[in-house]
Amino acid sequence: MRKLLNTLYVTTPEAYLSKDGLNVVVSVNKEERFRIPIMNVEGIVTFGYMGASPGLMKLCMENNVSLVFMSPQGRFIGRIQGPTKGNVLLRKKQYTLSEDENVSLHLAKLFITGKVFNCRSILQRYIRDNGANEEIEYAIKQLEWRRKCVMEADNMDILRGEEGRAANVYFSVFDHLILHQKDDFSFNGRSRRPPKDEVNAMLSFVYTLIANDVAAALESVGLDPYVGFMHTIRPGRTSLALDMMEELRAYLGDRLVLSMINRKQITKRDFIRQSDESFAMTDNSRKELITTWQKRKKEMIEHPYLKEKIPIGLLPYVQTMLLSRFLRDDLDDYPVFLMR
């Protein structure tokens, strides 16, 4: 099984990355703040505009460490990756199957079925822990119906429509899952660009982290993260990573956001209201979320398909590995991740 290494998140906008021998060095205003051996890192994500030295980029590429640049608000800017790994025949098979409408629809239905199932599990967990709630119980029934409709969809347009309806049902009761700080964290539906409240700002940020981890996992097993089966191909868009993160959003992202709010690890003071009525996380709140995210990755779960104990942080790798096996015809079908 693959070893879970560290992802280095650099959240200070003024930070500049360079190399010293085989070490990654983080400096602010030309003063060294942190260093780590490249062999202890599997990815670097930096939130700022100062950039990185050519030497550091070369060091990352030579050691198969992805280097991702984000804006201070968490918007994806670019990604640097070393030489393509993996079996070229696997990628060729991926490209061929991505053009097959039947295969693409089948996989898309599995990705969205996993997403709907896991959203439903989040709501069921609320009922188990907090007792009956009429609105949430109705949403659970609606999501089960939508899950069946997803599997019966006979084209991609119908599937996307069912996905949208399921998401509306789920997020219509998401506010009920916020048990503490309700006056400070109100949620009136999903808003992306821009996020119109603090909860949406957190969701967008953590979804970005998940997408990056899935893209890195796809590279590690030899798949092309830019060629998906459901999300359309666009320059610079990791379409397959966006496909595969659907089944992981609720388990990895939504639970983390709700936990941090309900445990009061983050407060209303950790956000900035911008001029266009949108909200952004402060540097301190991003650091707190990333720290919690890294700790969560080390927690152990039993994978529902493999029946093995794995760190949560390896879930993207395990799912991409299973997808590659399906594409190679080593598995009869792709075992989507379903949380219990």
Side-chain angles (χ1 to χ4, degrees):
M1 178 61 71
R2 173 189 172 91
K3 182 180 179 181
L4 179 62
L5 296 175
N6 294 314
T7 299
L8 174 62
Y9 294 95
V10 183
T11 60
T12 304
E14 298 81 18
Y16 182 74
L17 281 68
S18 60
K19 72 177 283 284
D20 180 13
L22 296 177
N23 295 296
V24 179
V25 178
V26 181
S27 302
V28 177
N29 296 324
K30 299 184 178 181
E31 179 182 343
E32 181 178 326
R33 296 290 182 86
F34 179 79
R35 67 169 51 212
I36 187 172
I38 191 70
M39 66 185 67
N40 294 340
V41 179
E42 66 178 346
I44 301 173
V45 182
T46 179
F47 298 85
Y49 296 118
M50 295 301 292
S53 71
L56 185 278
M57 295 181 190
K58 182 173 183 289
L59 181 67
C60 288
M61 288 186 283
E62 289 174 343
N63 289 273
N64 196 42
V65 172
S66 63
L67 177 57
V68 178
F69 296 95
M70 302 279 192
S71 73
Q73 292 73 37
R75 184 71 62 84
F76 178 81
I77 297 174
R79 176 187 184 87
I80 295 175
Q81 188 79 27
T84 299
K85 292 182 62 181
N87 188 341
V88 66
L89 297 178
L90 173 61
R91 291 204 175 200
K92 185 176 180 181
K93 186 74 174 290
Q94 175 191 356
Y95 300 148
T96 300
L97 292 178
S98 70
E99 300 292 331
D100 187 317
E101 293 183 2
N102 292 328
V103 173
S104 293
L105 179 62
H106 175 74
L107 282 171
K109 283 160 55 169
L110 290 177
F111 297 143
I112 300 306
T113 294
K115 176 182 182 178
V116 176
F117 183 97
N118 292 334
C119 288
R120 182 170 175 267
S121 294
I122 293 279
L123 302 185
Q124 288 175 318
R125 181 175 179 174
Y126 173 92
I127 296 295
R128 288 197 303 269
D129 293 344
N130 301 282
N133 180 295
E134 186 175 338
E135 289 184 58
I136 291 181
E137 289 169 347
Y138 179 74
I140 290 171
K141 293 178 182 177
Q142 286 292 304
L143 287 176
E144 177 58 20
W145 169 251
R146 290 299 168 199
R147 185 181 68 84
K148 294 176 181 177
C149 292
V150 164
M151 289 308 297
E152 293 172 358
D154 57 12
N155 64 62
M156 204 69 79
D157 288 337
I158 292 176
L159 175 62
R160 292 191 178 101
E162 293 297 340
E163 177 194 11
R165 284 184 277 274
N168 288 337
V169 169
Y170 173 62
F171 284 119
S172 71
V173 296
F174 197 79
D175 190 63
H176 290 285
L177 309 183
I178 299 173
L179 305 177
H180 302 287
Q181 306 188 89
K182 291 190 75 70
D183 290 339
D184 292 337
F185 289 91
S186 61
F187 182 85
N188 297 308
R190 184 78 177 106
S191 55
R192 296 167 179 79
R193 297 180 182 176
K196 295 183 179 179
D197 56 53
E198 296 88 348
V199 180
N200 273 293
M202 291 182 71
L203 288 172
S204 293
F205 186 79
V206 78
Y207 290 164
T208 299
L209 298 181
I210 297 170
N212 177 67
D213 279 5
V214 175
L218 287 164
E219 289 276 4
S220 73
V221 301
L223 289 169
D224 189 337
Y226 293 92
V227 179
F229 298 94
M230 181 177 66
H231 287 82
T232 55
I233 297 175
R234 295 179 187 170
R237 184 191 213 185
T238 54
S239 298
L240 185 54
L242 296 179
D243 287 354
M244 297 203 67
M245 71 174 285
E246 296 293 359
E247 65 195 84
L248 302 176
R249 284 178 187 265
Y251 185 72
L252 295 182
D254 300 356
R255 285 182 59 177
L256 181 73
V257 169
L258 290 168
S259 175
M260 292 190 69
I261 294 173
N262 289 331
R263 292 179 181 177
K264 301 181 181 179
Q265 291 176 263
I266 203 159
T267 68
K268 193 176 183 68
R269 295 190 299 273
D270 293 313
F271 297 85
I272 301 171
R273 191 184 188 97
Q274 299 180 319
S275 58
D276 58 357
E277 298 297 310
S278 66
F279 286 78
M281 301 178 70
T282 63
D283 289 348
N284 287 336
S285 64
R286 286 198 298 270
K287 290 176 183 177
E288 181 66 26
L289 188 150
I290 287 170
T291 299
T292 305
W293 169 250
Q294 293 286 61
K295 290 179 180 177
R296 168 109 167 111
K297 283 184 176 183
K298 297 176 182 178
E299 296 175 11
M300 302 295 291
I301 62 166
E302 181 178 291
H303 191 276
Y305 178 77
L306 298 178
K307 303 300 181 185
E308 294 179 12
K309 293 279 188 180
I310 65 166
I312 287 176
L314 285 184
L315 260 180
Y317 170 75
V318 170
Q319 292 308 123
T320 57
M321 177 188 66
L322 292 172
L323 179 65
S324 69
R325 290 181 179 177
F326 167 67
L327 297 180
R328 289 196 303 260
D329 296 322
D330 294 335
L331 292 176
D332 292 335
D333 209 345
Y334 169 63
V336 66
F337 175 75
L338 304 175
M339 61 185 280
R340 301 292 180 180

